[in-house]
Amino acid sequence: MGFAKPRQLRLNAFAMHAPTHQSPGLWRHPRDRSREVMRLPLWLELARLWEDGLFDAVFLADVLGPYDVYGGDARGAIATGAQLPAHDPMLLVPAMASVTSGLGFGVTASLSYEPPFLMARRFSTLDHLTDGRIGWNIVTGYLDSAARAMGRDRQLAHDDRYRLAEDYMEAVRALWERSWDDDAILADPARGWADPDRVRVVHHHGPELRMDALHLCAPSPQRTPLLFQAGSSPAGLGFAARHAECVFVSGPSIAVVAPRVRRLRDALRAAGRDPYAVKVLALATPVVADTDAQARELLAEYRSYVDPRGALVLLSGWLGVDFAPYRLDEPVRFIESDAGRSAMENFTRADPDRNWTVREVAEHVGIGGAGPVFHGSARTVADEMARWQRDADVDGFNLAYAVLPETFEQVVHRLVPVLQEMELFKTAYAPGTLRQKLATEIARS
Ligand SMILES: Cc1cc2nc3c(=O)[nH]c(=O)nc-3n(C[C@H](O)[C@H](O)[C@H](O)COP(=O)(O)O)c2cc1C
């Protein structure tokens, strides 16, 4: 059976309710406005900017603990601001929704520490308040510091987290899809508010979770939020094949990312799903200027603000390995840990032709994290995106920033018009919910 691959790229803005997301130290750049993330005006401005650029969604990352793997405590994260402070991303959504109508919102929420009942209620509420533009990035976390904050000794083992996630999805889907019938609400003075025969308690008695609940929210435009997921390990892949509608992949090169995408599309086919109905978005950081030479200079300027200690703090948290005792010229070798498996593979065995030292990895992740930096004129960057689309078989990009909001201004004002000329990007939002928008290609008028 053949499935058609869409031509238009999908673009998400990748951000966090924190002064440092993926580019540690860049808050010190004179044009960076990350100090303003604690207040709403910057987020409203960003939401309008992303919508002007027809971004499909802003994807908000989240962690529930400090990065305290580096050096064995949180001092490095505190001193460098590496994803600390980290404020609740969900609370930004209604404000951004109120100044936009097409932009989607992918919000990260960990299922490890919260009953499915409460999670389902918050996402249903957000689906109503955004008119069906909410997505959930399903994560289980990778930091033991979060587990300790929740009263546990440590996080669940890697594959046990996915087992919990599987059970959890059954419970939240039961609430979203089965507790209320479409026509349950009458809002009729003669007949009453809702029909008791069309609303019910749903029962979930799974291996990990037990719930007997009537969903507290009325059916929302999407019911189930659009489901995002980001794991690439065997357990993560299986989970994605069963549940995800959008998958984030992250790796430094096509050589690393392409096999992961291939494995995911194969797993989707094996699960009986259209492999191209799931949007695969690769992490990337664009640096766009008038000419390739100017973009190179701009990138060098950005790099001069990278805080290497902040980069190693993030890396240690992602990989679950303390890089403090390493010499900078030491090679990075694969170590099994209970943090992200694919993050570790990125810089070790995923590309046998490339050996990374600790210094090289810190420099690489310092601008935008583990993904590539696409730098050049708008045309050069657009061509590079098209190459990734073709050779890594991705549907689009999750765009991290170096300088906020400068990176996104470069994308909206320079790159998007070129992508549109190349017929690689839509010229208007499709109607409907976030799920319907992502399923639609916009024909060029
Ligand atoms: C682009 C990207 C963004 C992610 N964002 C978050 C996040 O905000 N919070 C989180 O706890 N995990 C996040 N993760 C981690 C994943 O949820 C997952 O734990 C990780 O990719 C490891 O999964 P794996 O071991 O199955 O590969 C992200 C991963 C990727 C690739």
Side-chain angles (χ1 to χ4, degrees):
M1 191 167 25
F3 292 101
K5 180 179 163 75
R7 178 170 163 70
Q8 282 169 358
L9 288 170
R10 298 293 174 178
L11 295 184
N12 277 359
F14 193 27
M16 188 168 178
H17 198 175
T20 291
H21 181 206
Q22 302 266 105
S23 300
L26 271 288
W27 62 269
R28 301 174 297 186
H29 189 284
R31 290 192 297 277
D32 187 85
R33 290 173 53 198
S34 293
R35 295 156 210 238
E36 297 172 40
V37 295
M38 268 79 94
R39 298 185 56 249
L40 270 182
L42 177 69
W43 290 102
L44 301 184
E45 191 182 320
L46 284 167
R48 291 193 186 98
L49 176 68
W50 291 324
E51 177 144 299
D52 282 349
L54 302 174
F55 275 74
D56 293 287
V58 48
F59 170 73
L60 293 164
D62 195 27
V63 289
L64 294 176
Y67 282 67
D68 62 356
V69 177
Y70 181 83
D73 60 35
R75 294 181 66 84
I78 297 167
T80 63
Q83 300 197 355
L84 189 75
H87 293 216
D88 191 325
M90 274 199 196
L91 302 180
L92 292 172
V93 171
M96 289 196 284
S98 73
V99 297
T100 53
S101 58
L103 182 70
F105 304 94
V107 185
T108 299
S110 170
L111 55 75
S112 290
Y113 309 108
E114 181 172 352
F117 180 76
L118 295 177
M119 184 75 84
R121 184 185 189 215
R122 290 216 311 291
F123 273 102
S124 292
T125 304
L126 285 175
D127 200 40
H128 280 294
L129 295 178
T130 60
D131 289 322
R133 289 184 281 146
I134 196 73
W136 174 25
N137 178 35
I138 308 164
V139 305
T140 58
Y142 45 80
L143 293 164
D144 279 329
S145 62
R148 289 193 299 271
M150 308 297 165
R152 315 236 176 120
D153 292 337
R154 66 186 67 81
Q155 59 184 333
L156 285 176
H158 183 270
D159 286 7
D160 290 342
R161 297 206 294 277
Y162 279 111
R163 267 190 284 281
L164 171 66
E166 203 58 52
D167 205 26
Y168 202 98
M169 291 314 294
E170 265 190 44
V172 286
R173 278 187 198 273
L175 291 165
W176 286 323
E177 300 295 335
R178 299 209 311 269
S179 192
W180 293 66
D181 290 345
D182 284 338
D183 52 1
I185 292 185
L186 307 168
D188 177 349
R191 292 192 296 156
W193 173 254
D195 180 349
D197 291 334
R198 293 185 161 80
V199 184
R200 62 197 61 82
V201 170
V202 289
H203 304 278
H204 174 80
H205 295 183
E208 313 288 336
L209 299 160
R210 188 190 163 103
M211 176 192 81
D212 299 280
L214 189 154
H215 191 35
L216 283 179
C217 298
S220 64
Q222 300 185 110
R223 284 185 173 260
T224 298
L226 189 81
L227 299 177
F228 296 75
Q229 202 263 345
S232 296
S233 63
L237 213 61
F239 183 85
R242 282 185 293 279
H243 301 288
E245 297 170 274
C246 256
V247 172
F248 293 131
V249 289
S250 112
S253 61
I254 290 177
V256 170
V257 170
R260 275 189 202 149
V261 180
R262 201 175 318 121
R263 282 197 293 274
L264 173 67
R265 305 260 193 226
D266 287 346
L268 287 163
R269 254 183 229 103
R273 297 176 69 193
D274 170 356
Y276 290 105
V278 173
K279 306 295 173 212
V280 182
L281 305 183
L283 176 64
T285 307
V287 177
V288 188
D290 281 344
T291 64
D292 290 355
Q294 283 172 1
R296 261 196 308 278
E297 274 170 35
L298 193 57
L299 177 57
E301 180 195 306
Y302 291 166
R303 283 208 190 284
S304 71
Y305 286 91
V306 170
D307 183 341
R309 184 175 172 212
L312 290 175
V313 167
L314 290 178
L315 199 67
S316 299
W318 292 332
L319 272 50
V321 172
D322 180 3
F323 280 95
Y326 280 62
R327 287 192 326 275
L328 285 177
D329 56 0
E330 264 183 81
V332 179
R333 291 202 188 85
F334 187 87
I335 301 171
E336 197 87 21
S337 87
D338 262 328
R341 297 271 159 86
S342 30
M344 174 59 99
E345 303 227 345
N346 275 338
F347 302 107
T348 54
R349 56 196 189 190
D351 181 357
D353 296 333
R354 174 88 206 251
N355 297 311
W356 296 77
T357 63
V358 175
R359 177 186 285 105
E360 284 168 339
V361 177
E363 279 172 4
H364 179 88
V365 304
I367 300 285
V373 176
F374 294 155
H375 59 94
S377 68
R379 181 66 204 211
T380 300
V381 172
D383 284 343
E384 189 60 3
M385 286 181 158
R387 192 169 76 89
W388 272 67
Q389 183 190 30
R390 189 188 64 226
D391 295 349
D393 195 22
V394 297
D395 296 285
F397 299 92
N398 201 20
L399 295 178
Y401 59 88
V403 170
L404 192 71
E406 184 167 287
T407 297
F408 294 118
E409 287 165 351
Q410 292 165 6
V411 172
V412 172
H413 302 312
R414 294 167 186 262
L415 180 62
V416 162
V418 172
L419 289 172
Q420 286 169 330
E421 262 167 47
M422 294 164 73
E423 300 192 16
L424 283 176
F425 197 59
K426 61 185 169 309
T427 51
Y429 281 112
T433 63
L434 180 57
R435 178 172 286 113
Q436 288 162 340
K437 284 179 171 59
L438 282 183
T440 313
E441 291 252 341
I442 304 282
R444 214 173 148 76
S445 49

